[in-house]
Amino acid sequence: MPRRRALPVVSHKPVRKVVDQLQDIASQKCISMHQIVVSFGEASFLPILMVIALLLISPLSGIPLFSSLCGISTAFVASQMFMGRDHLWLPDVIGRQQVTGQRLRHGIQRLGGLADWLDDHARRRLMPLVRGPAKKGLQLLCILCGLCMPFLELVPFSSSILGGAILLFSTAILTRDGVFALMGLALMAFAAFVPITVFGAVIF
């Protein structure tokens, strides 16, 4: 019986690199969104999108209005990526928003394990799901997730779940792993049930 060919592994650990670079940035006393963009490069749409998603998954998402800021930033980044722009632009009102280095370090200190898990399990699979029109579809889903966050500010865990979906979509595109795209779709669908459950419990 012929041996099944192993799927090619993604060896450059892109998610871990994003976390490590974010930890380097956190050594500063205060960090703005503009500084994060400059640090990663104004053409690094996917890494910046992953940074925002990682921040949403971290305890920083509990800060009032932080999820809304990240959601709007996600929509800006993903929409410009969808339009094929060469350089990222953020409005000054978003670019000036700051977080202290201490709070940022505390928020991301446990994200290394998640980054390693994503990198270790990334494979070149189901690539039609991350190419061409399907790739544009994933970018549109990132935009939708970002636009929903300000409306779900008071719903527990909803922003972190959507942040997880955005991280999976971004990782899928970056590593060409369609399995992560499917996981992101499942997580996004689950996120839709959270506000329904919460509002249903309040009303009834």
PDB file of all heavy atoms in Angstrom, residues 45 49 56 67-68 70-84 135-151 162 165-167 169-170 173 188:
ATOM      1  N   PHE A  45       0.062  44.204   6.341  1.00  0.00           N
ATOM      2  CA  PHE A  45      -1.352  44.165   6.706  1.00  0.00           C
ATOM      3  C   PHE A  45      -1.685  42.958   7.584  1.00  0.00           C
ATOM      4  O   PHE A  45      -2.332  43.107   8.627  1.00  0.00           O
ATOM      5  CB  PHE A  45      -2.219  44.139   5.441  1.00  0.00           C
ATOM      6  CG  PHE A  45      -2.223  45.427   4.685  1.00  0.00           C
ATOM      7  CD1 PHE A  45      -1.313  45.650   3.658  1.00  0.00           C
ATOM      8  CD2 PHE A  45      -3.122  46.429   4.992  1.00  0.00           C
ATOM      9  CE1 PHE A  45      -1.307  46.837   2.954  1.00  0.00           C
ATOM     10  CE2 PHE A  45      -3.123  47.628   4.292  1.00  0.00           C
ATOM     11  CZ  PHE A  45      -2.221  47.831   3.272  1.00  0.00           C
ATOM     12  N   LEU A  49      -2.955  42.901  11.450  1.00  0.00           N
ATOM     13  CA  LEU A  49      -4.268  42.334  11.736  1.00  0.00           C
ATOM     14  C   LEU A  49      -4.157  41.269  12.823  1.00  0.00           C
ATOM     15  O   LEU A  49      -5.013  41.171  13.710  1.00  0.00           O
ATOM     16  CB  LEU A  49      -4.849  41.740  10.456  1.00  0.00           C
ATOM     17  CG  LEU A  49      -6.363  41.534  10.386  1.00  0.00           C
ATOM     18  CD1 LEU A  49      -7.097  42.853  10.553  1.00  0.00           C
ATOM     19  CD2 LEU A  49      -6.754  40.888   9.067  1.00  0.00           C
ATOM     20  N   LEU A  56      -7.072  41.363  21.269  1.00  0.00           N
ATOM     21  CA  LEU A  56      -8.470  41.087  21.603  1.00  0.00           C
ATOM     22  C   LEU A  56      -8.606  39.807  22.421  1.00  0.00           C
ATOM     23  O   LEU A  56      -9.501  39.694  23.271  1.00  0.00           O
ATOM     24  CB  LEU A  56      -9.303  40.974  20.318  1.00  0.00           C
ATOM     25  CG  LEU A  56      -9.669  42.288  19.641  1.00  0.00           C
ATOM     26  CD1 LEU A  56     -10.140  42.041  18.216  1.00  0.00           C
ATOM     27  CD2 LEU A  56     -10.755  43.006  20.436  1.00  0.00           C
ATOM     28  N   SER A  67     -12.229  46.983  23.068  1.00  0.00           N
ATOM     29  CA  SER A  67     -12.702  46.090  22.009  1.00  0.00           C
ATOM     30  C   SER A  67     -13.257  46.879  20.833  1.00  0.00           C
ATOM     31  O   SER A  67     -13.055  46.498  19.668  1.00  0.00           O
ATOM     32  CB  SER A  67     -13.780  45.150  22.556  1.00  0.00           C
ATOM     33  OG  SER A  67     -13.249  44.295  23.552  1.00  0.00           O
ATOM     34  N   SER A  68     -13.941  47.983  21.125  1.00  0.00           N
ATOM     35  CA  SER A  68     -14.472  48.817  20.046  1.00  0.00           C
ATOM     36  C   SER A  68     -13.347  49.413  19.221  1.00  0.00           C
ATOM     37  O   SER A  68     -13.413  49.441  17.981  1.00  0.00           O
ATOM     38  CB  SER A  68     -15.349  49.935  20.625  1.00  0.00           C
ATOM     39  OG  SER A  68     -16.494  49.411  21.269  1.00  0.00           O
ATOM     40  N   CYS A  70     -10.321  48.209  18.852  1.00  0.00           N
ATOM     41  CA  CYS A  70      -9.704  47.132  18.075  1.00  0.00           C
ATOM     42  C   CYS A  70     -10.607  46.726  16.914  1.00  0.00           C
ATOM     43  O   CYS A  70     -10.111  46.408  15.824  1.00  0.00           O
ATOM     44  CB  CYS A  70      -9.424  45.935  18.973  1.00  0.00           C
ATOM     45  SG  CYS A  70      -8.040  46.173  20.115  1.00  0.00           S
ATOM     46  N   GLY A  71     -11.913  46.718  17.136  1.00  0.00           N
ATOM     47  CA  GLY A  71     -12.830  46.361  16.070  1.00  0.00           C
ATOM     48  C   GLY A  71     -12.785  47.337  14.913  1.00  0.00           C
ATOM     49  O   GLY A  71     -12.724  46.935  13.740  1.00  0.00           O
ATOM     50  N   ILE A  72     -12.790  48.624  15.234  1.00  0.00           N
ATOM     51  CA  ILE A  72     -12.714  49.656  14.192  1.00  0.00           C
ATOM     52  C   ILE A  72     -11.371  49.576  13.470  1.00  0.00           C
ATOM     53  O   ILE A  72     -11.298  49.695  12.240  1.00  0.00           O
ATOM     54  CB  ILE A  72     -12.922  51.048  14.808  1.00  0.00           C
ATOM     55  CG1 ILE A  72     -14.338  51.166  15.376  1.00  0.00           C
ATOM     56  CG2 ILE A  72     -12.689  52.138  13.766  1.00  0.00           C
ATOM     57  CD1 ILE A  72     -14.574  52.401  16.203  1.00  0.00           C
ATOM     58  N   SER A  73     -10.295  49.349  14.236  1.00  0.00           N
ATOM     59  CA  SER A  73      -8.968  49.215  13.625  1.00  0.00           C
ATOM     60  C   SER A  73      -8.924  48.006  12.695  1.00  0.00           C
ATOM     61  O   SER A  73      -8.355  48.074  11.600  1.00  0.00           O
ATOM     62  CB  SER A  73      -7.903  49.067  14.721  1.00  0.00           C
ATOM     63  OG  SER A  73      -7.891  50.195  15.572  1.00  0.00           O
ATOM     64  N   THR A  74      -9.533  46.903  13.128  1.00  0.00           N
ATOM     65  CA  THR A  74      -9.594  45.703  12.285  1.00  0.00           C
ATOM     66  C   THR A  74     -10.298  45.996  10.968  1.00  0.00           C
ATOM     67  O   THR A  74      -9.836  45.589   9.890  1.00  0.00           O
ATOM     68  CB  THR A  74     -10.333  44.571  13.028  1.00  0.00           C
ATOM     69  OG1 THR A  74      -9.578  44.188  14.180  1.00  0.00           O
ATOM     70  CG2 THR A  74     -10.519  43.362  12.123  1.00  0.00           C
ATOM     71  N   ALA A  75     -11.420  46.691  11.053  1.00  0.00           N
ATOM     72  CA  ALA A  75     -12.185  47.016   9.847  1.00  0.00           C
ATOM     73  C   ALA A  75     -11.360  47.884   8.896  1.00  0.00           C
ATOM     74  O   ALA A  75     -11.381  47.669   7.675  1.00  0.00           O
ATOM     75  CB  ALA A  75     -13.486  47.719  10.224  1.00  0.00           C
ATOM     76  N   PHE A  76     -10.619  48.855   9.439  1.00  0.00           N
ATOM     77  CA  PHE A  76      -9.773  49.723   8.612  1.00  0.00           C
ATOM     78  C   PHE A  76      -8.667  48.916   7.926  1.00  0.00           C
ATOM     79  O   PHE A  76      -8.432  49.052   6.721  1.00  0.00           O
ATOM     80  CB  PHE A  76      -9.151  50.834   9.459  1.00  0.00           C
ATOM     81  CG  PHE A  76      -9.941  52.103   9.463  1.00  0.00           C
ATOM     82  CD1 PHE A  76     -10.729  52.446  10.555  1.00  0.00           C
ATOM     83  CD2 PHE A  76      -9.911  52.967   8.383  1.00  0.00           C
ATOM     84  CE1 PHE A  76     -11.473  53.615  10.556  1.00  0.00           C
ATOM     85  CE2 PHE A  76     -10.639  54.140   8.373  1.00  0.00           C
ATOM     86  CZ  PHE A  76     -11.421  54.462   9.458  1.00  0.00           C
ATOM     87  N   VAL A  77      -7.984  48.073   8.702  1.00  0.00           N
ATOM     88  CA  VAL A  77      -6.866  47.301   8.149  1.00  0.00           C
ATOM     89  C   VAL A  77      -7.363  46.306   7.101  1.00  0.00           C
ATOM     90  O   VAL A  77      -6.824  46.228   5.985  1.00  0.00           O
ATOM     91  CB  VAL A  77      -6.109  46.559   9.271  1.00  0.00           C
ATOM     92  CG1 VAL A  77      -5.032  45.648   8.680  1.00  0.00           C
ATOM     93  CG2 VAL A  77      -5.473  47.553  10.242  1.00  0.00           C
ATOM     94  N   ALA A  78      -8.403  45.546   7.454  1.00  0.00           N
ATOM     95  CA  ALA A  78      -8.897  44.507   6.540  1.00  0.00           C
ATOM     96  C   ALA A  78      -9.499  45.101   5.268  1.00  0.00           C
ATOM     97  O   ALA A  78      -9.354  44.531   4.189  1.00  0.00           O
ATOM     98  CB  ALA A  78      -9.927  43.636   7.262  1.00  0.00           C
ATOM     99  N   SER A  79     -10.168  46.255   5.387  1.00  0.00           N
ATOM    100  CA  SER A  79     -10.774  46.863   4.200  1.00  0.00           C
ATOM    101  C   SER A  79      -9.706  47.361   3.233  1.00  0.00           C
ATOM    102  O   SER A  79      -9.858  47.224   2.008  1.00  0.00           O
ATOM    103  CB  SER A  79     -11.708  48.002   4.602  1.00  0.00           C
ATOM    104  OG  SER A  79     -11.001  49.024   5.284  1.00  0.00           O
ATOM    105  N   GLN A  80      -8.610  47.910   3.762  1.00  0.00           N
ATOM    106  CA  GLN A  80      -7.526  48.366   2.889  1.00  0.00           C
ATOM    107  C   GLN A  80      -6.783  47.188   2.264  1.00  0.00           C
ATOM    108  O   GLN A  80      -6.332  47.259   1.114  1.00  0.00           O
ATOM    109  CB  GLN A  80      -6.572  49.259   3.676  1.00  0.00           C
ATOM    110  CG  GLN A  80      -7.207  50.590   4.060  1.00  0.00           C
ATOM    111  CD  GLN A  80      -6.302  51.446   4.918  1.00  0.00           C
ATOM    112  OE1 GLN A  80      -5.268  51.929   4.478  1.00  0.00           O
ATOM    113  NE2 GLN A  80      -6.680  51.642   6.182  1.00  0.00           N
ATOM    114  N   MET A  81      -6.673  46.094   3.018  1.00  0.00           N
ATOM    115  CA  MET A  81      -6.088  44.885   2.455  1.00  0.00           C
ATOM    116  C   MET A  81      -6.982  44.340   1.343  1.00  0.00           C
ATOM    117  O   MET A  81      -6.496  43.904   0.298  1.00  0.00           O
ATOM    118  CB  MET A  81      -5.904  43.840   3.565  1.00  0.00           C
ATOM    119  CG  MET A  81      -5.236  42.563   3.120  1.00  0.00           C
ATOM    120  SD  MET A  81      -4.746  41.503   4.513  1.00  0.00           S
ATOM    121  CE  MET A  81      -6.314  41.285   5.356  1.00  0.00           C
ATOM    122  N   PHE A  82      -8.297  44.377   1.568  1.00  0.00           N
ATOM    123  CA  PHE A  82      -9.256  43.911   0.564  1.00  0.00           C
ATOM    124  C   PHE A  82      -9.168  44.737  -0.714  1.00  0.00           C
ATOM    125  O   PHE A  82      -9.282  44.202  -1.826  1.00  0.00           O
ATOM    126  CB  PHE A  82     -10.668  43.981   1.148  1.00  0.00           C
ATOM    127  CG  PHE A  82     -11.750  43.563   0.198  1.00  0.00           C
ATOM    128  CD1 PHE A  82     -12.038  42.221  -0.004  1.00  0.00           C
ATOM    129  CD2 PHE A  82     -12.489  44.503  -0.491  1.00  0.00           C
ATOM    130  CE1 PHE A  82     -13.037  41.819  -0.887  1.00  0.00           C
ATOM    131  CE2 PHE A  82     -13.483  44.124  -1.382  1.00  0.00           C
ATOM    132  CZ  PHE A  82     -13.766  42.774  -1.576  1.00  0.00           C
ATOM    133  N   MET A  83      -8.941  46.037  -0.570  1.00  0.00           N
ATOM    134  CA  MET A  83      -8.861  46.924  -1.733  1.00  0.00           C
ATOM    135  C   MET A  83      -7.505  46.853  -2.433  1.00  0.00           C
ATOM    136  O   MET A  83      -7.320  47.454  -3.481  1.00  0.00           O
ATOM    137  CB  MET A  83      -9.161  48.370  -1.320  1.00  0.00           C
ATOM    138  CG  MET A  83     -10.602  48.597  -0.907  1.00  0.00           C
ATOM    139  SD  MET A  83     -10.983  50.337  -0.552  1.00  0.00           S
ATOM    140  CE  MET A  83     -10.001  50.606   0.933  1.00  0.00           C
ATOM    141  N   GLY A  84      -6.541  46.142  -1.822  1.00  0.00           N
ATOM    142  CA  GLY A  84      -5.243  45.970  -2.451  1.00  0.00           C
ATOM    143  C   GLY A  84      -4.318  47.161  -2.307  1.00  0.00           C
ATOM    144  O   GLY A  84      -3.418  47.353  -3.143  1.00  0.00           O
ATOM    145  N   LYS A 135      -9.899  34.018  -0.684  1.00  0.00           N
ATOM    146  CA  LYS A 135      -9.049  34.890   0.132  1.00  0.00           C
ATOM    147  C   LYS A 135      -9.727  36.234   0.364  1.00  0.00           C
ATOM    148  O   LYS A 135      -9.724  36.767   1.486  1.00  0.00           O
ATOM    149  CB  LYS A 135      -7.699  35.085  -0.561  1.00  0.00           C
ATOM    150  CG  LYS A 135      -6.733  35.987   0.175  1.00  0.00           C
ATOM    151  CD  LYS A 135      -5.417  36.086  -0.600  1.00  0.00           C
ATOM    152  CE  LYS A 135      -4.447  37.043   0.058  1.00  0.00           C
ATOM    153  NZ  LYS A 135      -3.170  37.128  -0.692  1.00  0.00           N
ATOM    154  N   LYS A 136     -10.337  36.789  -0.678  1.00  0.00           N
ATOM    155  CA  LYS A 136     -11.082  38.041  -0.531  1.00  0.00           C
ATOM    156  C   LYS A 136     -12.258  37.851   0.422  1.00  0.00           C
ATOM    157  O   LYS A 136     -12.605  38.750   1.193  1.00  0.00           O
ATOM    158  CB  LYS A 136     -11.581  38.517  -1.898  1.00  0.00           C
ATOM    159  CG  LYS A 136     -10.485  39.028  -2.825  1.00  0.00           C
ATOM    160  CD  LYS A 136      -9.868  40.305  -2.287  1.00  0.00           C
ATOM    161  CE  LYS A 136      -8.857  40.884  -3.261  1.00  0.00           C
ATOM    162  NZ  LYS A 136      -8.203  42.117  -2.715  1.00  0.00           N
ATOM    163  N   GLY A 137     -12.870  36.666   0.369  1.00  0.00           N
ATOM    164  CA  GLY A 137     -13.973  36.378   1.276  1.00  0.00           C
ATOM    165  C   GLY A 137     -13.536  36.379   2.726  1.00  0.00           C
ATOM    166  O   GLY A 137     -14.247  36.890   3.606  1.00  0.00           O
ATOM    167  N   LEU A 138     -12.353  35.827   3.015  1.00  0.00           N
ATOM    168  CA  LEU A 138     -11.833  35.832   4.382  1.00  0.00           C
ATOM    169  C   LEU A 138     -11.551  37.257   4.846  1.00  0.00           C
ATOM    170  O   LEU A 138     -11.785  37.602   6.018  1.00  0.00           O
ATOM    171  CB  LEU A 138     -10.560  34.990   4.459  1.00  0.00           C
ATOM    172  CG  LEU A 138     -10.719  33.488   4.203  1.00  0.00           C
ATOM    173  CD1 LEU A 138      -9.367  32.792   4.280  1.00  0.00           C
ATOM    174  CD2 LEU A 138     -11.685  32.870   5.203  1.00  0.00           C
ATOM    175  N   GLN A 139     -11.051  38.086   3.946  1.00  0.00           N
ATOM    176  CA  GLN A 139     -10.810  39.493   4.295  1.00  0.00           C
ATOM    177  C   GLN A 139     -12.120  40.204   4.608  1.00  0.00           C
ATOM    178  O   GLN A 139     -12.192  41.016   5.538  1.00  0.00           O
ATOM    179  CB  GLN A 139     -10.067  40.177   3.155  1.00  0.00           C
ATOM    180  CG  GLN A 139      -8.661  39.648   2.933  1.00  0.00           C
ATOM    181  CD  GLN A 139      -8.036  40.128   1.642  1.00  0.00           C
ATOM    182  OE1 GLN A 139      -8.646  40.867   0.879  1.00  0.00           O
ATOM    183  NE2 GLN A 139      -6.808  39.704   1.375  1.00  0.00           N
ATOM    184  N   LEU A 140     -13.168  39.897   3.848  1.00  0.00           N
ATOM    185  CA  LEU A 140     -14.487  40.479   4.115  1.00  0.00           C
ATOM    186  C   LEU A 140     -15.019  40.033   5.476  1.00  0.00           C
ATOM    187  O   LEU A 140     -15.636  40.824   6.204  1.00  0.00           O
ATOM    188  CB  LEU A 140     -15.467  40.086   3.015  1.00  0.00           C
ATOM    189  CG  LEU A 140     -15.422  40.899   1.724  1.00  0.00           C
ATOM    190  CD1 LEU A 140     -16.358  40.293   0.678  1.00  0.00           C
ATOM    191  CD2 LEU A 140     -15.812  42.359   1.978  1.00  0.00           C
ATOM    192  N   LEU A 141     -14.771  38.780   5.831  1.00  0.00           N
ATOM    193  CA  LEU A 141     -15.213  38.290   7.135  1.00  0.00           C
ATOM    194  C   LEU A 141     -14.477  39.003   8.265  1.00  0.00           C
ATOM    195  O   LEU A 141     -15.063  39.274   9.319  1.00  0.00           O
ATOM    196  CB  LEU A 141     -14.987  36.775   7.227  1.00  0.00           C
ATOM    197  CG  LEU A 141     -15.904  35.915   6.358  1.00  0.00           C
ATOM    198  CD1 LEU A 141     -15.502  34.447   6.456  1.00  0.00           C
ATOM    199  CD2 LEU A 141     -17.364  36.092   6.778  1.00  0.00           C
ATOM    200  N   CYS A 142     -13.205  39.325   8.058  1.00  0.00           N
ATOM    201  CA  CYS A 142     -12.454  40.103   9.057  1.00  0.00           C
ATOM    202  C   CYS A 142     -13.068  41.491   9.222  1.00  0.00           C
ATOM    203  O   CYS A 142     -13.188  42.004  10.346  1.00  0.00           O
ATOM    204  CB  CYS A 142     -10.991  40.216   8.649  1.00  0.00           C
ATOM    205  SG  CYS A 142     -10.043  38.672   8.787  1.00  0.00           S
ATOM    206  N   ILE A 143     -13.454  42.096   8.100  1.00  0.00           N
ATOM    207  CA  ILE A 143     -14.112  43.407   8.158  1.00  0.00           C
ATOM    208  C   ILE A 143     -15.410  43.305   8.952  1.00  0.00           C
ATOM    209  O   ILE A 143     -15.702  44.138   9.816  1.00  0.00           O
ATOM    210  CB  ILE A 143     -14.399  43.941   6.738  1.00  0.00           C
ATOM    211  CG1 ILE A 143     -13.095  44.171   5.981  1.00  0.00           C
ATOM    212  CG2 ILE A 143     -15.208  45.243   6.794  1.00  0.00           C
ATOM    213  CD1 ILE A 143     -13.292  44.505   4.510  1.00  0.00           C
ATOM    214  N   LEU A 144     -16.195  42.274   8.672  1.00  0.00           N
ATOM    215  CA  LEU A 144     -17.473  42.080   9.362  1.00  0.00           C
ATOM    216  C   LEU A 144     -17.268  41.887  10.856  1.00  0.00           C
ATOM    217  O   LEU A 144     -17.988  42.472  11.674  1.00  0.00           O
ATOM    218  CB  LEU A 144     -18.199  40.875   8.756  1.00  0.00           C
ATOM    219  CG  LEU A 144     -19.557  40.518   9.371  1.00  0.00           C
ATOM    220  CD1 LEU A 144     -20.529  41.685   9.226  1.00  0.00           C
ATOM    221  CD2 LEU A 144     -20.130  39.261   8.718  1.00  0.00           C
ATOM    222  N   CYS A 145     -16.280  41.074  11.229  1.00  0.00           N
ATOM    223  CA  CYS A 145     -15.982  40.866  12.653  1.00  0.00           C
ATOM    224  C   CYS A 145     -15.638  42.184  13.332  1.00  0.00           C
ATOM    225  O   CYS A 145     -16.104  42.478  14.441  1.00  0.00           O
ATOM    226  CB  CYS A 145     -14.817  39.888  12.807  1.00  0.00           C
ATOM    227  SG  CYS A 145     -15.209  38.163  12.434  1.00  0.00           S
ATOM    228  N   GLY A 146     -14.806  42.991  12.664  1.00  0.00           N
ATOM    229  CA  GLY A 146     -14.411  44.273  13.243  1.00  0.00           C
ATOM    230  C   GLY A 146     -15.581  45.220  13.418  1.00  0.00           C
ATOM    231  O   GLY A 146     -15.712  45.882  14.457  1.00  0.00           O
ATOM    232  N   LEU A 147     -16.455  45.279  12.426  1.00  0.00           N
ATOM    233  CA  LEU A 147     -17.602  46.187  12.494  1.00  0.00           C
ATOM    234  C   LEU A 147     -18.610  45.777  13.562  1.00  0.00           C
ATOM    235  O   LEU A 147     -19.342  46.627  14.100  1.00  0.00           O
ATOM    236  CB  LEU A 147     -18.295  46.256  11.131  1.00  0.00           C
ATOM    237  CG  LEU A 147     -17.501  46.919  10.002  1.00  0.00           C
ATOM    238  CD1 LEU A 147     -18.261  46.830   8.686  1.00  0.00           C
ATOM    239  CD2 LEU A 147     -17.191  48.375  10.336  1.00  0.00           C
ATOM    240  N   CYS A 148     -18.659  44.485  13.880  1.00  0.00           N
ATOM    241  CA  CYS A 148     -19.609  44.004  14.885  1.00  0.00           C
ATOM    242  C   CYS A 148     -19.175  44.321  16.316  1.00  0.00           C
ATOM    243  O   CYS A 148     -20.022  44.420  17.217  1.00  0.00           O
ATOM    244  CB  CYS A 148     -19.793  42.489  14.739  1.00  0.00           C
ATOM    245  SG  CYS A 148     -20.742  41.988  13.292  1.00  0.00           S
ATOM    246  N   MET A 149     -17.879  44.477  16.538  1.00  0.00           N
ATOM    247  CA  MET A 149     -17.374  44.600  17.909  1.00  0.00           C
ATOM    248  C   MET A 149     -17.913  45.796  18.690  1.00  0.00           C
ATOM    249  O   MET A 149     -18.259  45.660  19.869  1.00  0.00           O
ATOM    250  CB  MET A 149     -15.844  44.602  17.902  1.00  0.00           C
ATOM    251  CG  MET A 149     -15.263  43.238  17.647  1.00  0.00           C
ATOM    252  SD  MET A 149     -13.458  43.226  17.684  1.00  0.00           S
ATOM    253  CE  MET A 149     -13.149  41.727  16.764  1.00  0.00           C
ATOM    254  N   PRO A 150     -18.008  46.993  18.103  1.00  0.00           N
ATOM    255  CA  PRO A 150     -18.555  48.103  18.891  1.00  0.00           C
ATOM    256  C   PRO A 150     -19.980  47.857  19.373  1.00  0.00           C
ATOM    257  O   PRO A 150     -20.382  48.359  20.426  1.00  0.00           O
ATOM    258  CB  PRO A 150     -18.501  49.283  17.905  1.00  0.00           C
ATOM    259  CG  PRO A 150     -17.413  48.928  16.953  1.00  0.00           C
ATOM    260  CD  PRO A 150     -17.520  47.440  16.796  1.00  0.00           C
ATOM    261  N   PHE A 151     -20.744  47.057  18.629  1.00  0.00           N
ATOM    262  CA  PHE A 151     -22.124  46.777  19.013  1.00  0.00           C
ATOM    263  C   PHE A 151     -22.220  45.674  20.063  1.00  0.00           C
ATOM    264  O   PHE A 151     -23.273  45.475  20.666  1.00  0.00           O
ATOM    265  CB  PHE A 151     -22.936  46.368  17.773  1.00  0.00           C
ATOM    266  CG  PHE A 151     -22.996  47.427  16.711  1.00  0.00           C
ATOM    267  CD1 PHE A 151     -22.155  47.361  15.608  1.00  0.00           C
ATOM    268  CD2 PHE A 151     -23.860  48.499  16.826  1.00  0.00           C
ATOM    269  CE1 PHE A 151     -22.202  48.344  14.633  1.00  0.00           C
ATOM    270  CE2 PHE A 151     -23.917  49.484  15.850  1.00  0.00           C
ATOM    271  CZ  PHE A 151     -23.079  49.410  14.752  1.00  0.00           C
ATOM    272  N   LEU A 162     -14.491  36.763  18.584  1.00  0.00           N
ATOM    273  CA  LEU A 162     -14.305  37.318  17.244  1.00  0.00           C
ATOM    274  C   LEU A 162     -12.825  37.569  16.967  1.00  0.00           C
ATOM    275  O   LEU A 162     -12.354  37.398  15.838  1.00  0.00           O
ATOM    276  CB  LEU A 162     -15.099  38.610  17.097  1.00  0.00           C
ATOM    277  CG  LEU A 162     -16.615  38.455  16.986  1.00  0.00           C
ATOM    278  CD1 LEU A 162     -17.304  39.817  16.972  1.00  0.00           C
ATOM    279  CD2 LEU A 162     -16.990  37.662  15.731  1.00  0.00           C
ATOM    280  N   ALA A 165     -11.414  34.402  15.823  1.00  0.00           N
ATOM    281  CA  ALA A 165     -11.772  34.138  14.429  1.00  0.00           C
ATOM    282  C   ALA A 165     -10.880  34.927  13.477  1.00  0.00           C
ATOM    283  O   ALA A 165     -10.397  34.391  12.466  1.00  0.00           O
ATOM    284  CB  ALA A 165     -13.235  34.487  14.195  1.00  0.00           C
ATOM    285  N   ILE A 166     -10.636  36.204  13.806  1.00  0.00           N
ATOM    286  CA  ILE A 166      -9.767  37.038  12.967  1.00  0.00           C
ATOM    287  C   ILE A 166      -8.347  36.477  12.939  1.00  0.00           C
ATOM    288  O   ILE A 166      -7.696  36.440  11.892  1.00  0.00           O
ATOM    289  CB  ILE A 166      -9.769  38.489  13.490  1.00  0.00           C
ATOM    290  CG1 ILE A 166     -11.154  39.117  13.317  1.00  0.00           C
ATOM    291  CG2 ILE A 166      -8.716  39.337  12.764  1.00  0.00           C
ATOM    292  CD1 ILE A 166     -11.339  40.412  14.077  1.00  0.00           C
ATOM    293  N   LEU A 167      -7.867  36.020  14.094  1.00  0.00           N
ATOM    294  CA  LEU A 167      -6.525  35.427  14.156  1.00  0.00           C
ATOM    295  C   LEU A 167      -6.444  34.178  13.274  1.00  0.00           C
ATOM    296  O   LEU A 167      -5.455  33.971  12.560  1.00  0.00           O
ATOM    297  CB  LEU A 167      -6.171  35.078  15.601  1.00  0.00           C
ATOM    298  CG  LEU A 167      -4.798  34.442  15.821  1.00  0.00           C
ATOM    299  CD1 LEU A 167      -3.675  35.376  15.374  1.00  0.00           C
ATOM    300  CD2 LEU A 167      -4.612  34.067  17.293  1.00  0.00           C
ATOM    301  N   PHE A 169      -8.380  33.456  10.637  1.00  0.00           N
ATOM    302  CA  PHE A 169      -8.457  33.869   9.232  1.00  0.00           C
ATOM    303  C   PHE A 169      -7.106  34.405   8.757  1.00  0.00           C
ATOM    304  O   PHE A 169      -6.643  34.077   7.654  1.00  0.00           O
ATOM    305  CB  PHE A 169      -9.531  34.938   9.043  1.00  0.00           C
ATOM    306  CG  PHE A 169     -10.942  34.449   9.235  1.00  0.00           C
ATOM    307  CD1 PHE A 169     -11.908  35.277   9.787  1.00  0.00           C
ATOM    308  CD2 PHE A 169     -11.308  33.165   8.864  1.00  0.00           C
ATOM    309  CE1 PHE A 169     -13.207  34.834   9.953  1.00  0.00           C
ATOM    310  CE2 PHE A 169     -12.607  32.713   9.028  1.00  0.00           C
ATOM    311  CZ  PHE A 169     -13.563  33.549   9.586  1.00  0.00           C
ATOM    312  N   SER A 170      -6.473  35.243   9.576  1.00  0.00           N
ATOM    313  CA  SER A 170      -5.183  35.833   9.207  1.00  0.00           C
ATOM    314  C   SER A 170      -4.102  34.760   9.079  1.00  0.00           C
ATOM    315  O   SER A 170      -3.296  34.780   8.147  1.00  0.00           O
ATOM    316  CB  SER A 170      -4.760  36.875  10.246  1.00  0.00           C
ATOM    317  OG  SER A 170      -5.737  37.882  10.402  1.00  0.00           O
ATOM    318  N   ILE A 173      -4.546  32.741   5.854  1.00  0.00           N
ATOM    319  CA  ILE A 173      -4.034  33.421   4.659  1.00  0.00           C
ATOM    320  C   ILE A 173      -2.510  33.414   4.644  1.00  0.00           C
ATOM    321  O   ILE A 173      -1.882  33.162   3.618  1.00  0.00           O
ATOM    322  CB  ILE A 173      -4.565  34.866   4.595  1.00  0.00           C
ATOM    323  CG1 ILE A 173      -6.096  34.875   4.465  1.00  0.00           C
ATOM    324  CG2 ILE A 173      -3.937  35.623   3.426  1.00  0.00           C
ATOM    325  CD1 ILE A 173      -6.713  36.263   4.589  1.00  0.00           C
ATOM    326  N   MET A 188     -16.527  32.011  14.343  1.00  0.00           N
ATOM    327  CA  MET A 188     -17.368  33.171  14.054  1.00  0.00           C
ATOM    328  C   MET A 188     -18.842  32.817  14.221  1.00  0.00           C
ATOM    329  O   MET A 188     -19.630  33.620  14.753  1.00  0.00           O
ATOM    330  CB  MET A 188     -17.087  33.664  12.638  1.00  0.00           C
ATOM    331  CG  MET A 188     -17.723  34.981  12.296  1.00  0.00           C
ATOM    332  SD  MET A 188     -17.223  35.517  10.625  1.00  0.00           S
ATOM    333  CE  MET A 188     -18.210  37.032  10.497  1.00  0.00           C
TER     334      MET A 188
END
